[in-house]
Amino acid sequence: MNSNHLQQIQTFEAYQTTYAKSCENPEAFWSEIAQSFLWKKTWNKVLNWDFKTAEITWFDGAALNITENCIDRHLANDSGKIAMIWEPNNPTEAARKISYGELASEVNLLSNVLTELGVLKGDRVCIYMPMIPEAAFAMLACARIGAIHSVVFAGFSAQALADRIIDAGCVAVLTADGMFRGEKKIELKKIVDEALLQTPSVQKCLVYQHRNFDINMEVGRDFDWCSLTANAATHFNAVSVDSEAPLFVLYTSGSTGKPKGILHTTAGYMVYAAYTFLNVFQYKPGDVFCCTADIGWITGHSYVLYGPLLNGGTTVLFEGIPNYPDAGRFWDLIDKHKVSIFYTAPTAIRSLELYGKAPFEGKNLSSLKVLGSVGEPINEDAWQWYFENVGKMNCPIVDTWWQTETGGIMISPLAGITPLKPAFATLPLPGIQLAIVDDKGNELYGNDVAGNLCIRYPWPGMARSIYGNHERFIQTYFSIYSGMYFTGDGCKRDEDGYIRITGRVDDVINVSGHRIGTGEVEDALNEKGFVVESAVVGYPHHIKGQGIWAFVICEQADIDYETLCNELRQHVSVSIGGFARPDVIQVVKGLPKTRSGKIMRRILRKIAEGETNAFGDITTLLDSSVVEQIIEGAQVFLRQKS
Ligand code: PRX
């Protein structure tokens, strides 16, 4: 089947009619969109679904390779067009520009290397890499040979990496010697070496020399990337895979238990990433798109890599951080590469806001047309600051709500089309049927309502399972509110029908846009011998959105507080990663528990928010005097914050 151009919505009226059409006949709607891709074989049935068993298939019977849609189909007319611009951590180093033609060669070389190393269709491959083009080549090469990539953010510890490799049963790891994030040196290969002590499934490790760090290479297991690609062929026939063949696994945190490997499959994810990229950002040929997310998160998957490439766009890969070498780094990057669409997280915006106007001096931001926000609720102040100082009041801001599980953006304005309201994700995209329900699962119809955000109908980009644990997939997302996908977020629909996301309603916290399960941090804290028990909650943080507040009961009453904090923070870094270190550690004598032994986190959350009174019903508490003690102890930290 031949590919045509995807349809782009151009007006608000067109959005409204498209939305209505997409709900009346979703299969016809998505089928028409799917026609614009390159398929090796067409589908028999657009959609099969059952939310009770969480069995969902899109474009059943079809076959394709996503990389032919990301790369090959642009080669005839656009082989010289820049697909990727790499901006290094250190701005004095040269940027790299990679054309679609070069991208094709690089991905083919690596596809041949992976095949020679014995990686087969369906195998899982772990990618633990810096934000460099090779990370993108790695993902695409996996997809080209039909292997399943599992990218692990290169900020996770050796233990967290090992856990993810073991869970997915990865046969190979692709990594680099190391990298700098700002001034911080991170020795990735060392971390991988440590992780691989625990992972018998890994047969091969391919290492890209990025910074010339000294590394250990284990004969028979470790291979030098460049030596192997130097001798490989530049042609590789993309492997044909079924629509529902897994494309990737990406780990994310939930309320309870270990992180889950969210499984996305090929065709539906492709159609959804491409469609949402084109429409939300209103991408036009010639635009330079820059999403600052790391490739280790879903935003990096869908909007640094797949979305832009599926549309033949130019995407910027940024290796650095917003405040290195100074707080003008983003603005330099926009000026230098003439970025037209800039997509970042509220945390970054809030941290840069503190530096005022000086970092903008001498930077020309006139290339910008559209701004985006993702990962956490954006407060009105940060929205206004972004709009005025970065967009110079000329660029619409798309506040995009979505999740690892949704594959792509779900609720968002279409840039320049949907009337905006600061801090509102506004309206669902075509194909997305929302439901707001109360705690009992009753749907709240009409406007001016608040409740739990659910989705009542499948969309192509939705996750299909949790790797190796479909039952957990059903339990987590489809069993809480019968017949619906539950997002874990709360929201309100205002008098105009606009959606505002109010944040998680479960025990997941969002720290600087990083999703962390409170249970994971508790498990890490409890591993320390002197910790008897702990409870972790999120609290409002002016830059990070949420901070981590840990309440711990210690065995030794005389332990020095500084030492205790250092040891606990260090242990969380080792067990999860530096980004999960608690901001506040409060030693307590007891935790508020119900008679059945359940910790009442609701009370702890309120205390961490500075509440001293209104705790709602606490009659079920075993011993209400602990609450008084915790409130008293919390005052010290609350005073420090204000
Ligand atoms: O709570 C919501 C928040 O981030 C969660 C999803 O996290 P993750 O799977 O890591 O994906 C982040 C990037 C898509 C959601 O459940 N979230 C994401 N975007 C927004 C948001 N909260 C408010 N507004 C947003 N625009």
Side-chain angles (χ1 to χ4, degrees):
M1 198 185 288
N2 271 334
S3 62
N4 313 305
H5 281 296
L6 261 179
Q7 270 180 26
Q8 192 172 44
I9 295 167
Q10 309 278 356
T11 62
F12 191 57
E13 291 67 40
Y15 159 75
Q16 288 170 315
T17 45
T18 308
Y19 185 79
K21 212 173 86 182
S22 75
C23 296
E24 275 155 29
N25 192 343
E27 293 195 36
F29 173 74
W30 288 112
S31 161
E32 195 183 327
I33 291 168
Q35 312 276 343
S36 65
F37 294 83
L38 210 58
W39 300 85
K40 288 179 186 285
K41 189 175 151 216
T42 191
W43 52 90
N44 311 320
K45 180 89 173 77
V46 179
L47 170 66
N48 295 305
W49 67 292
D50 179 352
F51 273 180
K52 273 208 183 71
T53 56
E55 299 291 347
I56 298 119
T57 67
W58 280 94
F59 312 111
D60 195 39
L64 73 159
N65 188 289
I66 190 171
T67 67
E68 290 190 332
N69 287 282
C70 289
I71 306 171
D72 302 49
R73 70 168 166 160
H74 310 310
L75 294 180
N77 297 323
D78 281 328
S79 132
K81 182 174 175 182
I82 300 303
M84 237 172 242
I85 301 174
W86 177 66
E87 174 64 20
N89 178 58
N90 184 340
T92 60
E93 208 182 304
R96 281 167 70 185
K97 292 192 176 175
I98 295 149
S99 69
Y100 274 94
E102 288 161 340
L103 181 63
S105 307
E106 295 284 358
V107 172
N108 284 337
L109 289 171
L110 197 55
S111 301
N112 282 310
V113 167
L114 291 180
T115 306
E116 280 157 28
L117 287 176
V119 180
L120 302 171
K121 184 174 178 176
D123 280 348
R124 279 78 55 219
V125 175
C126 174
I127 299 174
Y128 186 69
M129 294 198 59
M131 271 297 278
I132 53 177
E134 283 67 24
F137 305 158
M139 292 165 75
L140 293 166
C142 285
R144 199 152 177 90
I145 68 173
I148 304 165
H149 56 73
S150 170
V151 185
V152 177
F153 170 60
F156 279 109
S157 67
Q159 187 56 53
L161 174 63
D163 292 343
R164 285 157 178 74
I165 292 175
I166 293 167
D167 188 78
C170 295
V171 301
V173 176
L174 272 54
T175 190
D177 53 344
M179 63 185 197
F180 287 93
R181 186 176 285 132
E183 280 172 355
K184 193 170 167 208
K185 181 178 181 182
I186 304 173
E187 297 184 270
L188 297 174
K189 180 60 168 54
K190 268 201 184 141
I191 300 172
V192 169
D193 286 341
E194 204 185 319
L196 293 192
L197 295 173
Q198 299 180 44
T199 58
S201 62
V202 174
Q203 304 293 319
K204 301 283 163 33
C205 178
L206 191 61
V207 189
Y208 182 76
Q209 271 290 352
H210 175 46
R211 293 286 172 213
N212 276 323
F213 293 168
D214 271 343
I215 51 170
N216 154 59
M217 292 290 277
E218 200 176 298
V219 179
R221 186 196 69 186
D222 299 347
F223 296 85
D224 179 61
W225 186 301
C226 293
S227 318
L228 296 197
T229 48
N231 295 313
T234 53
H235 183 79
F236 185 93
N237 280 335
V239 168
S240 178
V241 304
D242 294 342
S243 288
E244 286 296 337
L247 175 64
F248 64 87
V249 176
L250 186 58
Y251 285 82
T252 192
S253 298
S255 284
T256 52
K258 283 195 171 295
K260 325 171 258 221
I262 300 299
L263 182 79
H264 281 283
T265 58
T266 307
Y269 174 81
M270 170 183 81
V271 168
Y272 199 67
Y275 181 77
T276 52
F277 174 80
L278 183 73
N279 281 291
V280 170
F281 299 106
Q282 289 290 301
Y283 165 82
K284 301 279 187 293
D287 280 346
V288 174
F289 179 82
C290 176
C291 165
T292 64
D294 192 280
I295 217 134
W297 308 115
I298 190 69
T299 312
H301 281 54
S302 303
Y303 300 111
V304 174
L305 193 70
Y306 287 112
L309 296 185
L310 287 164
N311 283 282
T314 301
T315 181
V316 177
L317 262 81
F318 175 45
E319 191 190 20
I321 52 173
N323 55 3
Y324 175 80
D326 56 50
R329 186 67 198 276
F330 275 175
W331 326 134
D332 265 333
L333 176 119
I334 292 168
D335 189 353
K336 180 170 168 190
H337 298 297
K338 301 290 163 246
V339 170
S340 28
I341 308 170
F342 184 71
Y343 190 33
T344 196
T347 296
I349 299 166
R350 286 190 295 262
S351 71
L352 295 174
E353 203 179 328
L354 298 178
Y355 295 89
K357 293 193 190 311
F360 290 98
E361 272 166 32
K363 317 280 159 66
N364 182 353
L365 304 189
S366 61
S367 56
L368 283 175
K369 298 195 299 191
V370 173
L371 299 175
S373 170
V374 61
E376 31 168 341
I378 180 166
N379 47 310
E380 225 171 302
D381 274 358
W383 195 101
Q384 289 296 353
W385 186 86
Y386 197 28
F387 186 69
E388 285 165 24
N389 294 277
V390 185
K392 316 291 181 202
M393 325 251 304
N394 278 323
C395 304
I397 297 178
V398 289
D399 177 1
T400 63
W401 174 83
W402 58 297
Q403 312 178 295
T404 305
E405 295 86 339
T406 67
I409 298 167
M410 302 285 281
I411 309 178
S412 170
L414 306 184
I417 289 175
T418 311
L420 301 175
K421 213 181 253 194
F424 279 74
T426 73
L427 299 170
L429 298 189
I432 304 308
Q433 301 189 29
L434 306 179
I436 302 178
V437 302
D438 68 15
D439 286 340
K440 294 194 185 80
N442 301 314
E443 183 158 356
L444 305 170
Y445 295 98
N447 291 341
D448 216 0
V449 292
N452 304 303
L453 177 60
C454 295
I455 320 285
R456 66 160 91 253
Y457 199 85
W459 64 102
M462 71 187 297
R464 301 293 195 268
S465 196
I466 290 174
Y467 191 82
N469 197 345
H470 194 69
E471 187 52 36
R472 187 173 176 200
F473 186 60
I474 300 173
Q475 291 307 325
T476 312
Y477 303 107
F478 298 95
S479 66
I480 299 171
Y481 301 113
S482 151
M484 292 189 213
Y485 166 86
F486 175 46
T487 63
D489 278 308
C491 75
K492 66 178 194 187
R493 185 162 48 213
D494 77 355
E495 58 289 353
D496 298 323
Y498 268 35
I499 305 286
R500 179 177 193 146
I501 306 294
T502 45
R504 301 288 306 197
V505 293
D506 54 11
D507 289 323
V508 169
I509 50 181
N510 196 325
V511 181
S512 300
H514 293 166
R515 182 168 158 183
I516 301 171
T518 52
E520 280 173 81
V521 184
E522 288 165 8
D523 286 349
L525 295 171
N526 296 346
E527 274 164 21
K528 270 293 191 200
F530 57 79
V531 172
V532 177
E533 198 174 10
S534 65
V536 166
V537 297
Y539 70 94
H541 188 286
H542 64 295
I543 299 206
K544 301 201 276 188
Q546 281 188 299
I548 303 180
W549 191 310
F551 299 88
V552 293
I553 306 179
C554 281
E555 207 168 61
Q556 301 145 266
D558 57 344
I559 190 164
D560 169 59
Y561 179 68
E562 286 275 296
T563 317
L564 171 131
C565 288
N566 288 341
E567 286 203 23
L568 288 180
R569 290 201 174 106
Q570 177 57 21
H571 188 70
V572 172
S573 293
V574 169
S575 156
I576 306 173
F579 59 86
R581 293 155 70 101
D583 300 87
V584 175
I585 298 177
Q586 182 182 343
V587 179
V588 295
K589 289 209 177 70
L591 291 166
K593 287 192 177 171
T594 60
R595 279 167 229 280
S596 57
K598 214 170 149 232
I599 298 173
M600 289 186 82
R601 288 158 197 289
R602 176 173 61 80
I603 296 180
L604 295 173
R605 267 197 295 270
K606 291 218 157 165
I607 295 175
E609 281 164 15
E611 186 61 66
T612 51
N613 249 320
F615 294 118
D617 180 14
I618 56 168
T619 51
T620 52
L621 275 184
L622 188 61
D623 172 9
S624 56
S625 71
V626 292
V627 176
E628 297 300 318
Q629 289 166 8
I630 298 175
I631 293 174
E632 210 183 301
Q635 295 314 306
V636 183
F637 302 104
L638 291 165
R639 271 198 298 274
Q640 279 168 4
K641 287 199 285 145
S642 55

